Amino acid sequence: MTVKHLNTPFTLKNLELKNRIVMAPMCQYSVDAMDGFPNEWHYVHYVSRAVGGAGLIIMEMTDVDPDGRITNHDLGLWSDEQVPAFKRIIDEAHKYGAKVGIQIAHAGRKAEDAAQPVGPSAISAGPEYKTPKPLTVDEIKVIVNQFKDAARRAVEAGVDTIEIHGAHGYLVHQFQSPGINVREDEYGQNYAKFGIEVIQAVKSEMPADMPLILRISAIEYMDNGYDLSHSIELSKQYLEAGVDVFHVSTGGEGPAGTRKPGNYPGYQVPFARAIKQALNVPVIAVGMLEDPKLAEATIASEDADLVAVARGMLRDPYWAIHAIQAVKGEVTPPKQYGRA
């Protein structure tokens, strides 16, 4: 068996990554004009991580509807006019050997600035959130089509992959959660139905050889939240619908109950491994993996195919180069920085 490392290339369909390091999507809340357009902050933020050696950059949660944003300072892809600003960032990141994806999403009941947030049922995300309006079937179809249109725009912007946000308590997660979705119609009888429809809509706009990523919360932390067996069953249905890679996280659905997140390095890796083994599918592990040796061990032990680093890359734009250097002793930096 050939042991894989952080700097081992990864190929899936037409996605060819120079290493196994992913910049995890992290909201910047920096759209000062509140128009959904990425600005100079986003340009510097993402391009610097491409210079810093990341194999895959997943741009932060980008919303399919203005009222689907967490806040009005979030990115959006609800208009064709937004495409060029994304394309400018993606084109520049490509110059440094990084591949780029966009995480498309709808915040649902966690849309803090929406006058009237929506969700599968009239259950709020906590005392500080408004009570959502339950979506009608016709309104659900509109949102599915918004995901489809956002995927088309992402492809036009030049992405190498797309990630659907099905984790952390946002709309896809809300529909797949028995504690949040108490509908009595078909969307309550099959907790995967909304996610499946979103997946199929997004896939219809993607080139056949472009892989689709779905981020999923493997367990919930609220009291009576779902467990790993539920997320594995969901993932099987999502895989059949067209998902190629699962980005495995946990929680985010609401205040934690008696079960608490581990919040120690690598605490989510076992969930990534469980989904990888159950479905025989590539997975991305995430969650406090910024120690290069831990990230390397996660890949070398085949717990995951890729490792995503979030806060570690906020602290160090060149985390990928430094991590490979730490575990392998040699790197190929940008020529401009070679003398260092």
Side-chain angles (χ1 to χ4, degrees):
M1 182 182 71
T2 302
V3 177
K4 300 176 180 66
H5 302 279
L6 281 180
N7 66 339
T8 302
F10 175 82
T11 300
L12 181 64
K13 293 187 172 180
N14 75 339
L15 180 66
E16 298 181 1
L17 306 180
K18 64 183 180 181
N19 59 45
R20 302 287 175 125
I21 298 170
V22 179
M23 179 185 181
M26 293 168 283
C27 288
Q28 298 295 290
Y29 306 111
S30 295
V31 183
D32 297 328
M34 301 188 190
D35 56 4
F37 285 67
N39 55 32
E40 292 305 299
W41 172 264
H42 300 91
Y43 180 86
V44 172
H45 175 62
Y46 290 113
V47 173
S48 64
R49 273 69 184 181
V51 173
L56 174 63
I57 293 168
I58 304 178
M59 296 180 71
E60 67 203 79
M61 179 168 165
T62 299
D63 299 289
V64 302
D65 182 277
D67 282 337
R69 292 175 286 181
I70 303 171
T71 78
N72 289 342
H73 295 279
D74 294 345
L75 294 179
L77 261 179
W78 60 77
S79 167
D80 291 351
E81 295 177 356
Q82 292 161 328
V83 171
F86 283 93
K87 181 172 174 53
R88 174 174 175 253
I89 294 171
I90 293 166
D91 287 350
E92 191 66 21
H94 281 160
K95 293 178 182 178
Y96 304 100
K99 299 301 171 70
V100 183
I102 297 176
Q103 183 190 73
I104 56 174
H106 190 297
R109 69 177 191 164
K110 291 179 75 175
E112 298 172 13
D113 289 345
Q116 177 58 72
V118 297
S121 306
I123 302 172
S124 76
E128 70 273 28
Y129 290 93
K130 303 182 185 83
T131 299
K133 184 184 85 66
L135 289 159
T136 67
V137 171
D138 286 344
E139 288 168 338
I140 290 171
K141 301 299 184 186
V142 169
I143 292 176
V144 170
N145 199 59
Q146 288 177 318
F147 272 93
K148 181 177 186 289
D149 288 342
R152 171 181 57 79
R153 295 181 185 112
V155 172
E156 289 174 2
V159 296
D160 304 286
T161 183
I162 292 172
E163 178 171 284
I164 296 170
H165 203 343
H168 301 163
Y170 301 115
L171 190 61
V172 174
H173 182 164
Q174 289 161 33
F175 270 91
Q176 72 194 20
S177 173
I180 300 171
N181 175 2
V182 296
R183 301 173 70 95
E184 296 181 354
D185 64 2
E186 55 190 341
Y187 288 96
Q189 293 162 4
N190 179 0
Y191 296 113
K193 180 175 174 58
F194 177 70
I196 288 169
E197 291 182 357
V198 169
I199 291 161
Q200 292 172 337
V202 168
K203 290 284 281 192
S204 73
E205 293 292 344
M206 295 171 60
D209 55 356
M210 178 184 289
L212 174 65
I213 305 169
L214 184 134
R215 196 171 209 191
I216 190 166
S217 285
I219 63 169
E220 294 181 326
Y221 296 108
M222 67 182 184
D223 287 332
N224 301 311
Y226 68 68
D227 59 16
L228 185 59
S229 61
H230 182 76
S231 62
I232 287 175
E233 178 55 38
L234 290 168
S235 297
K236 288 177 179 176
Q237 295 184 63
Y238 293 158
L239 180 67
E240 188 175 342
V243 172
D244 298 289
V245 182
F246 287 90
H247 189 171
V248 184
S249 187
T250 61
E253 71 286 345
T258 55
R259 178 161 64 181
K260 300 289 194 295
N263 288 335
Y264 52 81
Y267 75 100
Q268 294 181 145
V269 172
F271 300 109
R273 180 175 63 245
I275 288 178
K276 176 180 172 68
Q277 292 176 342
L279 277 69
N280 191 29
V281 64
V283 298
I284 305 170
V286 68
M288 300 180 71
L289 297 177
E290 58 262 37
D291 181 329
K293 291 182 179 179
L294 176 57
E296 170 81 353
T298 301
I299 297 298
S301 61
E302 298 192 1
D303 288 335
D305 301 271
L306 302 162
V307 290
V309 175
R311 290 171 177 82
M313 283 206 192
L314 292 184
R315 288 189 288 271
D316 179 7
Y318 307 101
W319 185 91
I321 287 176
H322 293 151
I324 293 170
Q325 187 175 37
V327 297
K328 299 300 293 179
E330 55 186 45
V331 292
T332 304
K335 63 180 181 180
Q336 296 89 340
Y337 293 167
R339 76 187 85 173

